[in-house]
Amino acid sequence: MGVTTLERKNQYRTRQGETLEAYLRARPGQHTTAAELCARFSMGKATVYRRLERLVEAGVVAKYTVDGTTAACYAYVGPDQPPDRENCYHCKCQQCGALIHLHCDEVEHLRRHMLDHHGFALDARRTVFYGLCASCRAAQTG
């Protein structure tokens, strides 16, 4: 049986693509944006986005879309990671725009409660809590 175009496309490896994957793999659960990767490795946007999308399709990297104004974040969630590492929630400061990535057992408890008691499945990749970060709260009181 012949190899499909998609299979050939997924097998196509470049040094730049391997560099991106190795960088993300070395930082499991930590988030980065495509712009940060472009700057860090002096790569073009198209190259970075294309490789990230391939990694997302392969299930090696998770893509987190917070809202329409914040760049998507990417994190390594490969097969060697605990299954719960994929559940990352976000807190966004309404004043300064800071984005906080949140892995929290209490929020996981809320997710399970919502499913078990209300039949509603939260999408961790798109769940955002809005409020004020510690710096902005301190500036208001100080």
Side-chain angles (χ1 to χ4, degrees):
M1 203 184 279
V3 177
T4 67
T5 304
L6 181 59
E7 288 170 331
R8 258 187 264 120
K9 185 177 179 182
N10 286 337
Q11 291 174 356
Y12 181 70
R13 310 272 304 171
T14 65
R15 188 169 43 96
Q16 290 178 325
E18 289 174 0
T19 298
L20 289 177
E21 186 173 348
Y23 176 76
L24 293 169
R25 185 181 308 264
R27 305 171 69 239
Q30 295 181 33
H31 294 72
T32 190
T33 65
E36 290 167 346
L37 292 170
C38 289
R40 180 172 190 82
F41 296 107
S42 299
M43 292 182 193
K45 285 182 184 179
T47 299
V48 170
Y49 279 108
R50 188 171 39 250
R51 185 60 190 161
L52 286 171
E53 288 306 316
R54 286 183 185 153
L55 293 170
V56 169
E57 287 172 10
V60 175
V61 169
K63 179 179 181 179
Y64 300 94
T65 305
V66 176
D67 58 26
T69 61
T70 305
C73 298
Y74 299 86
Y76 178 78
V77 293
D80 54 337
Q81 293 300 302
D84 66 336
R85 292 304 292 177
E86 195 167 336
N87 288 340
C88 178
Y89 302 89
H90 297 89
C91 299
K92 184 167 183 179
C93 182
Q94 292 173 292
Q95 188 166 328
C96 72
L99 186 64
I100 300 164
H101 307 287
L102 183 66
H103 292 278
C104 178
D105 290 338
E106 292 299 320
V107 179
E108 274 301 293
H109 175 75
L110 173 63
R111 182 190 65 77
R112 285 189 301 275
H113 171 82
M114 294 294 292
L115 185 60
D116 295 345
H117 296 277
H118 304 285
F120 188 82
L122 292 176
D123 181 352
R125 295 179 188 175
R126 297 191 48 111
T127 301
V128 182
F129 297 98
Y130 291 90
L132 295 177
C133 69
S135 296
C136 289
R137 280 194 344 272
Q140 285 182 345
T141 60

